[in-house]
Structure formats: C-alpha cells, structure tokens
Amino acid sequence: TPVLSASQRSKFDNILRDEYPATFPQRLMFKDFSLIIQRALELAVAMPATAAATQVAAAEHARETAAHVDDDVSAVVRAMR
C-alpha cells in the first residue's frame, strides 16, 4: 500500500474526478520549469528529464490558457493520458 500525505490523497481524488482546484497553479510550475531549463542552458548542463517534464507542462499550460482556466499542477495528468 502506498503511503500518501493528506495533500497527495486529495490531489489523487481530484484527478479521479477530473477536477483540479488550484492549490499550486500549474502556470507557476511551468514558469519554474522554464527558469530551470534556462539556467541549465546557460551552464551547459543536460537535463533531459526536466526538459521532458517541461514539455508536458507546456502542453497543459497551452490547454489551460486556451480554456481560460488556472488549474492545479496535478492537471498535467491530462496531457499524460
């Protein structure tokens, strides 16, 4: 049985209902990924897993922007489905 915090359980339950009330907006995670990738490029550091995560976040960010919504970071599961 996996160990989940109350916060993680709440996010998991929201994912099952396809509801993503923002406790940490996905747009902020996308911004953070962008800053990390920018710095990695400046330092010539390869970060392939972060780059892949940034692309998933970018797809969800574009979807949310077009829909005029500001969902939780957990909404990236939509892009992964």
Side-chain angles (χ1 to χ4, degrees), residues 12-48:
F12 183 72
D13 291 342
N14 287 339
I15 289 167
L16 292 176
R17 288 190 302 274
D18 198 31
E19 297 173 359
Y20 306 94
T23 56
F24 184 73
Q26 195 282 133
R27 67 182 159 75
L28 296 180
M29 181 58 75
F30 178 65
K31 174 197 61 87
D32 291 349
F33 276 141
S34 299
L35 293 171
I36 292 165
I37 291 295
Q38 178 184 348
R39 186 67 176 143
L41 289 171
E42 291 168 0
L43 297 173
V45 175
M47 297 189 69

Side-chain angles (χ1 to χ4, degrees), residues 7-28 56 60-61 63-64 67-81:
S7 175
Q8 290 170 321
R9 170 57 62 192
S10 174
K11 286 185 187 300
F12 183 72
D13 291 342
N14 287 339
I15 289 167
L16 292 176
R17 288 190 302 274
D18 198 31
E19 297 173 359
Y20 306 94
T23 56
F24 184 73
Q26 195 282 133
R27 67 182 159 75
L28 296 180
V56 174
E60 180 56 26
H61 180 68
R63 194 206 68 73
E64 289 184 23
H68 304 288
V69 296
D70 195 22
D71 287 335
D72 188 71
V73 66
S74 59
V76 298
V77 299
R78 288 187 290 222
M80 294 185 289
R81 285 185 179 158

